Amino acid sequence: METVRGARVVVTGAGGGIGAALARRFAEEGARVVVNDLDAAKAARVAGEIGGTAVPGDASDVVPRAREALGGTIDVYCANAGVAPVGGPEAAEQVWADAWDVNVMAHVRAARELLPDWLERGDGRFVATVSAAGLLTMVGSAPYSVSKHAALAFAEWLAATYRHRGVKVHAVCPQGVRTDMLRATGPTGEVVLAPTAIEPEAVAAAVFAGMAADRFLILPHPEVGDYYAARATDTDRWLGSMNHIQRKVEERLAAETGDRAGGAAPERPRRAGAS
């Protein structure tokens, strides 16, 4: 993709999974890449592998440091860091706060820093790893589902507001991706996501195809578009299908743990590459 050659790119949550695959692909295409991750060792390892620059730390405040590392300008920002805690309304306030902070507010804070320069130049690209959960839902994780819906809404708002001023926005919405995050979802991931899971490199390939076509919605699993349409046009039937999946998860959990409630104790999320 010729437009990426020489571009200055930031990828958050890039110590592994989708983020690392994006960083590698951008580097292969000739971009200068900043690799951001909370895990400094992982960020350094990926950066060393691709000839990029590691800027570890919280994705919420990486833009100024990344801009400095890239010589003063960022052309493409991949808001990929995310967390996927388990639980519903009973999840602790801090679990909800962390999901909101990482999955939504990190995107807002990055855009706040990026937009003045992009609007002045009339050019910039914001790539948000949203997840199919942002278009649909994710059984077993209300904080993830709700925050990913909000991440999609923010990306939509950016696109609707600034498209005519040269800012390009993409929402990447895969289902299961073979990452540490998927492996941490346990029986829920095994039932819902694992059967159709793809490799992170397939997501990166879909992102580049979506950027080349200037598509807002990037669907590494194309069937998600059909599910999204069904959700909008026959909501009750779609909810029935999702509830059927929920029951299957509960049956799996009951078989493994004897817990007829089919629930799991909420955990404090960790920040990682989103999927």
Side-chain angles (χ1 to χ4, degrees):
M1 196 175 164
E2 191 60 35
T3 56
V4 169
R5 186 164 301 280
R8 290 152 291 194
V9 179
V10 179
V11 186
T12 68
I18 294 172
L22 285 172
R24 292 186 186 105
R25 180 62 186 269
F26 274 108
E28 288 169 5
E29 298 290 339
R32 295 173 57 191
V33 183
V34 159
V35 178
N36 165 258
D37 199 277
L38 268 184
D39 189 318
K42 288 183 177 179
R45 183 166 59 249
V46 174
E49 173 190 331
I50 66 173
T53 303
V55 180
D58 197 317
S60 282
D61 60 11
V62 71
V63 171
R65 292 176 291 127
R67 184 185 285 126
E68 182 179 357
L70 290 169
T73 304
I74 295 170
D75 300 305
V76 182
Y77 186 87
C78 297
N80 174 76
V83 294
V86 299
E90 80 288 346
E93 287 285 325
Q94 192 59 54
V95 169
W96 281 91
D98 285 349
W100 188 260
D101 189 68
V102 181
N103 295 345
V104 184
M105 291 308 300
H107 297 205
V108 175
R109 294 177 188 121
R112 185 184 295 145
E113 292 280 349
L114 294 163
L115 281 169
D117 178 55
W118 286 359
L119 295 174
E120 182 178 346
R121 290 194 286 141
D123 188 42
R125 193 180 294 271
F126 193 93
V127 182
T129 303
V130 171
S131 163
L135 295 171
L136 306 169
T137 193
M138 178 59 192
V139 299
S141 180
Y144 187 70
S145 299
V146 172
S147 59
K148 288 297 186 177
H149 273 268
L152 176 67
F154 183 63
E156 288 174 336
W157 187 91
L158 287 176
T161 303
Y162 298 115
R163 177 175 291 203
H164 67 295
R165 299 182 65 182
V167 176
K168 304 170 185 68
V169 183
H170 309 277
V172 188
C173 300
Q175 287 187 291
V177 182
R178 296 187 184 101
T179 65
D180 290 342
M181 183 177 282
L182 175 59
R183 287 184 281 273
T185 59
T188 299
E190 292 170 12
V191 171
V192 181
L193 300 174
T196 60
I198 59 177
E199 296 297 333
E201 291 74 18
V203 179
V207 168
F208 269 72
M211 289 193 302
D214 197 22
R215 286 197 304 271
F216 172 75
L217 273 185
I218 296 177
L219 305 179
H221 295 79
E223 62 270 24
V224 168
D226 296 329
Y227 303 153
Y228 188 39
R231 174 180 175 269
T233 58
D234 195 347
T235 306
D236 287 314
R237 183 176 181 181
W238 175 79
L239 285 170
S241 296
M242 294 305 300
N243 182 251
H244 177 70
I245 294 172
Q246 171 66 28
R247 295 198 303 271
K248 287 177 64 176
V249 170
E250 290 181 11
E251 289 169 3
R252 173 71 70 86
L253 286 167
E256 292 187 4
T257 69
D259 178 10
R260 298 305 303 178
E267 298 174 355
R268 180 72 175 268
R270 63 185 179 86
R271 304 183 183 203
S275 64

